[in-house]
Amino acid sequence: MDTRQLAAFCAVVERRSFSQAAERLGVTQPAVSLQIRSLEKRLGTQLLDRSGRRVEPTEAGWHLYRGAQRMLALEDQIVAGVASSTEGELGGELVIGASTGPAAIAVPVALCEFQHENPDVRVFLTVSDTHSIVERVAARELELGIVGAARRHRGVRFEPFFSDQVILACPPGHRFADRTVTLDELRGESLILMQEGAGVRQIVEDGLRRQGVRLRELDVRLELGLQESVRRAVEAGYGVTFISRTAVEPDLAAGTLAEARVQGLEATREISLASATGRARSRVAQAFVTFARERLAT
């Protein structure tokens, strides 16, 4: 039912006059008359008695007036609720996912800082491989995903979020430590990989392919799931691995891991922000994106 017609009807009932109702609503008297006629036509009954000096509601009119007041009050509540969701203090839930690289350090810190500044926000972070995060964003189980590779997906849109480096991590004192090594040298070294679906692995596979090298041509001895597993295996001296530099910065600073680069292999990647195609971003989610861009850019 058109609430403009109901508002016009209520104004006429309360003022007992079309002209005074029009003045109150800031419209012309013919406009108010048209709204009432349209309402009566739709309901198939006369709502106002116009025969006397004052306009009076009929029995049906009184019934409509009481219901219309409730509807207009509810409309006011809805409008006020929408306004409060776009103004004032942030509140509500932020349900977000991140792949293991971004989730290792950068994303949790940004989320903690954001929640500290907005104490009425509850944060829920899911950590998994890139493929799983993208699928859950597409299914709208997660509002946002922060992933290390922008996989093509019909139901997901990607946008750049921040930059990260992929390095070749090795034990301290390893012959690769603090060097740029050739692909031939890499072929002769035991390589530890993350599982299929990990963003870092996809970046490495794509980079090697551009150099005319397939991953299967390297000496892959171990595939150990996700980031923490391969990091610990490298620390223990079982081989080298490609990994997010952001994820192992504390290990590099502490000297428990060393860094190397591979000649000709692109070492910079864009961390992407994933969201479901066509989904309007909530106020809380947009506030976090703005906040995180500022923090992660420094």
Side-chain angles (χ1 to χ4, degrees):
M1 188 169 286
D2 191 334
T3 55
R4 291 172 299 177
Q5 293 177 353
L6 293 178
F9 173 73
C10 288
V12 172
V13 171
E14 291 162 4
R15 296 301 176 95
R16 300 293 199 274
S17 165
F18 280 86
S19 59
Q20 289 185 30
E23 183 178 350
R24 173 184 167 185
L25 297 171
V27 298
T28 64
Q29 182 174 331
V32 173
S33 298
L34 179 61
Q35 296 276 36
I36 302 301
R37 285 198 301 272
S38 298
L39 194 56
E40 289 179 325
K41 183 178 180 180
R42 178 176 180 183
L43 295 175
T45 188
Q46 183 178 344
L47 299 170
L48 296 170
D49 183 354
R50 304 166 176 82
S51 60
R53 295 182 59 184
R54 290 161 57 93
V55 178
E56 296 287 344
T58 63
E59 183 178 351
W62 277 119
H63 185 75
L64 176 64
Y65 176 71
R66 289 189 290 270
Q69 284 182 309
R70 292 194 295 270
M71 287 189 66
L72 293 172
L74 179 60
E75 181 186 42
D76 289 341
Q77 291 175 15
I78 292 171
V79 170
V82 171
S84 66
S85 71
T86 59
E87 300 173 356
E89 297 295 324
L90 283 176
E93 296 182 351
L94 176 60
V95 183
I96 189 170
S99 59
T100 54
I105 295 176
V107 172
V109 171
L111 284 170
C112 289
E113 291 176 348
F114 177 74
Q115 199 284 325
H116 181 73
E117 291 193 9
N118 301 279
D120 291 333
V121 174
R122 295 184 67 198
V123 174
F124 300 88
L125 173 65
T126 294
V127 180
S128 189
D129 62 89
T130 296
H131 175 77
S132 298
I133 295 298
V134 170
E135 289 298 324
R136 293 191 64 182
V137 168
R140 303 197 175 206
E141 297 172 8
L142 302 171
E143 182 167 6
L144 296 174
I146 301 173
V147 295
R151 296 175 175 274
R152 290 185 179 180
H153 195 295
R154 199 165 50 173
V156 177
R157 69 177 187 273
F158 295 91
E159 56 187 281
F161 198 40
F162 66 96
S163 295
D164 188 25
Q165 287 183 309
V166 176
I167 64 169
L168 186 65
C170 55
H174 191 277
R175 62 192 181 97
F176 287 176
D178 304 316
R179 287 184 52 217
T180 297
V181 301
T182 65
L183 286 170
D184 285 338
E185 287 179 292
L186 184 61
R187 283 189 178 94
E189 186 63 35
S190 296
L191 184 62
I192 304 169
L193 290 181
M194 298 180 197
Q195 67 188 26
E196 290 189 20
V200 167
R201 176 165 174 160
Q202 181 180 328
I203 293 294
V204 171
E205 286 188 283
D206 292 344
L208 290 171
R209 192 176 296 113
R210 287 191 291 270
Q211 298 297 315
V213 177
R214 299 290 181 179
L215 200 56
R216 63 175 177 267
E217 297 175 30
L218 303 180
D219 187 13
V220 180
R221 298 291 182 91
L222 296 165
E223 292 191 25
L224 296 180
L226 298 175
Q227 189 165 262
E228 182 63 18
S229 302
V230 299
R231 183 182 68 81
R232 289 187 176 276
V234 171
E235 284 183 341
Y238 291 103
V240 300
T241 192
F242 289 101
I243 198 166
S244 160
R245 192 182 200 286
T246 303
V248 295
E249 280 181 347
D251 303 286
L252 297 173
T256 56
L257 285 178
E259 176 181 356
R261 300 184 185 279
V262 179
Q263 190 175 44
L265 189 64
E266 177 58 47
T268 302
R269 64 171 180 164
E270 286 292 332
I271 302 300
S272 297
L273 189 67
S275 50
T277 303
R279 181 175 184 174
R281 193 172 289 168
S282 69
R283 181 173 173 236
V284 171
Q286 184 56 53
F288 171 70
V289 170
T290 301
F291 177 91
R293 285 190 195 280
E294 295 175 356
R295 292 296 190 277
L296 297 173
T298 59

